[in-house]
């Protein structure tokens, strides 16, 4: 079984709080550092709010090849 890692950002709009895939190129997520997002913003696909990536609203999810989420870090 193969696994992939996805970088996700959480919307900071108090009425939304949706997790969505990061639009940024981030390469290898094994040694990922959230500081690479400094000054970058992504638009929430649900409510349209521009969101900055921080330690509190960025996560890495591990997905198996059958599209089941196995682990969140």
């Amino acid at each position: 079984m193969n696994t992939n890692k996805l970088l996700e950002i959480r919307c900071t709009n108090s009425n939304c709080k949706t997790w969505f895939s990061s639009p940024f190129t981030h390469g290898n997520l094994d040694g990922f550092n959230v500081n690479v997002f400094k000054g970058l913003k992504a638009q929430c696909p649900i409510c349209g709010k521009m969101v900055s990536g921080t330690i509190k609203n960025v996560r890495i999810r591990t997905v198996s090849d059958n599209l089941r989420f196995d682990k969140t870090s």
Side-chain angles (χ1 to χ4, degrees):
M1 172 172 40
N2 293 329
T3 59
N4 295 311
K5 293 184 179 182
L6 300 174
L7 185 63
E8 295 181 324
I9 301 171
R10 187 175 190 184
C11 181
T12 55
N13 179 342
S14 61
N15 295 321
C16 184
K17 302 269 186 198
T18 301
W19 286 99
F20 59 94
S21 294
S22 168
F24 307 118
T25 303
H26 33 71
N28 185 354
L29 293 175
D30 290 332
F32 177 74
N33 183 347
V34 74
N35 290 328
V36 300
F37 280 141
K38 188 174 184 178
L40 297 177
K41 292 187 177 190
Q43 187 171 22
C44 174
I46 304 301
C47 72
K49 178 176 175 131
M50 295 303 289
V51 181
S52 295
T54 66
I55 291 172
K56 294 180 180 181
N57 69 335
V58 172
R59 71 180 178 189
I60 298 172
R61 297 202 60 188
T62 302
V63 184
S64 63
D65 57 0
N66 63 359
L67 297 179
R68 201 175 110 234
F69 289 106
D70 295 330
K71 179 182 168 186
T72 302
S73 54

